[in-house]
């Protein structure tokens, strides 16, 4: 697995972790690229206890189309679409794909995978935001995740994902351990190995030599970057949030339907998420007219 860049470049403080836990995690998940095993203190049925959790590097998204392994820029994507984290299912899909194809293809084929609804709504969003006029007539939404697509860069703010407890893979969530108290979840990214991963991998891969013209960030990721005061680290002509495609809300789904039926969207009163997409559509149309 040394073909994945993070192996040497994603260093996470060892003070939070123990070598026995890391060794056990690597043995338990031999097919994965284990970054570290993180100890998390939580309140269980019998008081406070400490659990060990596996943190795995997820390179899902685009890779060497835009830079070399030494981060020399090859070309500039026209759009970046940023999610919060890779789902467990998408990560599993990536490692399965990796057995049958090269890393770059497996990364792209697995981007925002694991949820048909997410990809379906993301394509509907791309149609509404008029990606075709901006990217050119050759752009087709059905090819957004095709191996030869090189206009759109896909990534997540959390590139080192918690896949499971070391001894209990089946009962885990992708990022927040199911046993972490809701009251501390809001600070979890700032106080765990994930923050280190955001700084050293996500922000580094977003620091292209030029600004990416359009950076669209799913709302949960946007809110976390804003809370961590990291939005200013990004470069782009348009940097803004979009509703999360897996659960966009009824107002957004109504907007898509109205648009797809060629109705006048100005006849309706829209809520925040739909208003945001209408606002972004106009900004992207303005960029298209200036090209």
């Amino acid at each position: 697995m040394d073909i994945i860049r993070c192996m040497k470049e994603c260093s996470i403080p060892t003070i939070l972790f123990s070598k026995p836990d890391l060794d056990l995690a690597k043995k338990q998940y031999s097919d994965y690229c284990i970054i570290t095993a993180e100890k998390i203190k939580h309140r269980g049925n019998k008081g406070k206890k400490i659990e060990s959790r596996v943190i795995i590097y997820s390179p899902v998204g685009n890779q060497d189309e835009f830079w070399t392994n030494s981060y020399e820029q090859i070309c500039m994507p026209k759009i970046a679409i940023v999610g919060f984290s890779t789902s467990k299912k998408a990560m599993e899909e990536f490692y399965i794909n990796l057995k049958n194809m090269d890393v770059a293809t497996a990364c792209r084929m697995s981007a925002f995978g694991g949820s048909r609804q997410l990809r379906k709504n993301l394509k509907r969003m791309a149609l509404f935001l008029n990606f075709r006029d901006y990217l050119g007539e050759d752009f087709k939404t059905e090819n957004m995740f095709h191996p030869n697509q090189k206009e759109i860069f896909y990534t997540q703010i959390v590139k080192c994902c918690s896949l499971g407890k070391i001894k209990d893979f089946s009962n885990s969530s992708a990022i927040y351990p199911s046993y972490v108290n809701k009251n501390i979840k809001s600070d979890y990214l700032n106080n765990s190995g994930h923050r280190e991963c955001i700084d050293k991998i996500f922000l580094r891969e977003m620091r292209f030599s030029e600004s990416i013209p359009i950076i669209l960030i799913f709302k949960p990721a946007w809110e976390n970057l804003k809370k961590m005061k990291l939005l200013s680290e990004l470069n782009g002509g348009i940097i803004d949030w979009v509703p999360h495609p897996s659960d966009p809300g009824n107002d957004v789904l109504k907007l898509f339907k109205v648009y797809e039926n060629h109705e006048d969207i100005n006849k309706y009163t829209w809520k925040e998420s739909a208003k945001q997409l209408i606002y972004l559509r106009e900004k992207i149309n303005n960029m298209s007219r200036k090209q």
Side-chain angles (χ1 to χ4, degrees), residues 24-34 51-56 86-96 161-179:
L24 179 59
K26 289 180 177 178
K27 183 178 180 180
Q28 177 80 0
Y29 301 106
S30 57
D31 291 337
Y32 293 82
C33 177
I34 308 294
E51 295 277 6
S52 296
R53 190 169 184 79
V54 180
I55 295 183
I56 296 172
T86 310
S87 69
K88 183 172 71 173
K89 191 170 182 180
M91 288 172 65
E92 292 170 342
E93 182 181 302
F94 165 76
Y95 282 97
I96 291 172
C161 300
S162 300
L163 187 60
K165 285 188 266 185
I166 290 178
K167 297 180 180 179
D168 191 5
F169 169 83
S170 61
N171 293 326
S172 67
S173 58
I175 291 297
Y176 296 123
S178 58
Y179 44 78

Side-chain angles (χ1 to χ4, degrees), residues 120-134 139 141 144 216 242-243 251-266 270 273-285 288:
K120 179 182 177 180
N121 286 332
L122 190 55
K123 289 176 181 179
R124 295 177 78 185
M125 192 177 294
L127 280 172
F128 179 79
L129 294 177
N130 211 0
F131 279 15
R132 187 181 181 192
D133 276 3
Y134 174 67
F139 172 76
T141 55
M144 281 180 69
L216 303 177
V242 293
D251 215 45
V252 171
L253 294 178
K254 178 183 176 182
L255 177 65
F256 290 159
K257 188 174 181 180
V258 167
Y259 175 74
E260 290 160 1
N261 289 337
H262 305 288
E263 296 180 51
D264 183 1
I265 61 175
N266 296 314
W270 303 104
S273 292
K275 283 182 178 179
Q276 175 71 359
L277 289 178
I278 294 170
Y279 163 75
L280 285 173
R281 174 180 165 83
E282 185 57 33
K283 290 191 73 173
I284 293 172
N285 284 342
S288 299

Side-chain angles (χ1 to χ4, degrees), residues 115-166:
S115 171
R116 291 183 180 179
Q117 196 62 39
L118 188 153
R119 281 193 172 190
K120 179 182 177 180
N121 286 332
L122 190 55
K123 289 176 181 179
R124 295 177 78 185
M125 192 177 294
L127 280 172
F128 179 79
L129 294 177
N130 211 0
F131 279 15
R132 187 181 181 192
D133 276 3
Y134 174 67
L135 296 176
E137 292 184 358
D138 292 337
F139 172 76
K140 294 181 176 62
T141 55
E142 57 265 30
N143 294 332
M144 281 180 69
F145 302 97
H146 190 276
N148 294 326
Q149 184 284 125
K150 297 181 181 179
E151 303 289 336
I152 304 174
F153 172 67
Y154 303 107
T155 192
Q156 304 82 29
I157 67 168
V158 180
K159 303 288 285 188
C160 299
C161 300
S162 300
L163 187 60
K165 285 188 266 185
I166 290 178

Side-chain angles (χ1 to χ4, degrees), residues 20-231:
D21 281 335
L22 183 57
D23 291 341
L24 179 59
K26 289 180 177 178
K27 183 178 180 180
Q28 177 80 0
Y29 301 106
S30 57
D31 291 337
Y32 293 82
C33 177
I34 308 294
I35 298 302
T36 190
E38 178 178 14
K39 284 189 174 296
I40 298 173
K41 187 180 294 185
H42 70 100
R43 187 179 298 278
N45 294 331
K46 297 181 179 180
K48 292 183 179 179
K49 57 190 297 189
I50 294 176
E51 295 277 6
S52 296
R53 190 169 184 79
V54 180
I55 295 183
I56 296 172
Y57 174 52
S58 169
V60 172
N62 298 80
Q63 295 286 308
D64 57 8
E65 284 77 10
F66 301 110
W67 62 80
T68 66
N69 285 345
S70 58
Y71 285 90
E72 296 173 350
Q73 188 174 323
I74 298 173
C75 66
M76 175 63 60
K78 293 187 175 180
I79 298 174
I81 300 179
V82 182
F84 180 81
S85 68
T86 310
S87 69
K88 183 172 71 173
K89 191 170 182 180
M91 288 172 65
E92 292 170 342
E93 182 181 302
F94 165 76
Y95 282 97
I96 291 172
N97 287 342
L98 194 59
K99 297 175 182 178
N100 303 309
M101 59 189 74
D102 62 87
V103 175
T105 303
C107 286
R108 189 162 48 256
M109 293 289 285
S110 304
F112 301 117
S115 171
R116 291 183 180 179
Q117 196 62 39
L118 188 153
R119 281 193 172 190
K120 179 182 177 180
N121 286 332
L122 190 55
K123 289 176 181 179
R124 295 177 78 185
M125 192 177 294
L127 280 172
F128 179 79
L129 294 177
N130 211 0
F131 279 15
R132 187 181 181 192
D133 276 3
Y134 174 67
L135 296 176
E137 292 184 358
D138 292 337
F139 172 76
K140 294 181 176 62
T141 55
E142 57 265 30
N143 294 332
M144 281 180 69
F145 302 97
H146 190 276
N148 294 326
Q149 184 284 125
K150 297 181 181 179
E151 303 289 336
I152 304 174
F153 172 67
Y154 303 107
T155 192
Q156 304 82 29
I157 67 168
V158 180
K159 303 288 285 188
C160 299
C161 300
S162 300
L163 187 60
K165 285 188 266 185
I166 290 178
K167 297 180 180 179
D168 191 5
F169 169 83
S170 61
N171 293 326
S172 67
S173 58
I175 291 297
Y176 296 123
S178 58
Y179 44 78
V180 168
N181 188 296
K182 291 181 180 179
N183 294 329
I184 68 170
K185 279 189 176 183
S186 61
D187 296 322
Y188 180 67
L189 289 184
N190 258 331
N191 296 284
S192 72
H194 292 304
R195 171 58 191 257
E196 193 81 3
C197 192
I198 291 172
D199 288 337
K200 294 193 174 182
I201 300 182
F202 168 70
L203 290 180
R204 184 171 181 180
E205 74 178 6
M206 294 297 287
R207 290 188 184 116
F208 292 100
S209 61
E210 304 172 45
S211 62
I212 304 172
I214 299 173
I215 301 176
L216 303 177
I217 307 173
F218 293 172
K219 193 171 185 180
W222 172 272
E223 290 174 343
N224 275 276
L225 288 174
K226 185 176 182 180
K227 183 173 183 178
M228 291 186 282
K229 300 180 180 179
L230 294 176
L231 286 173

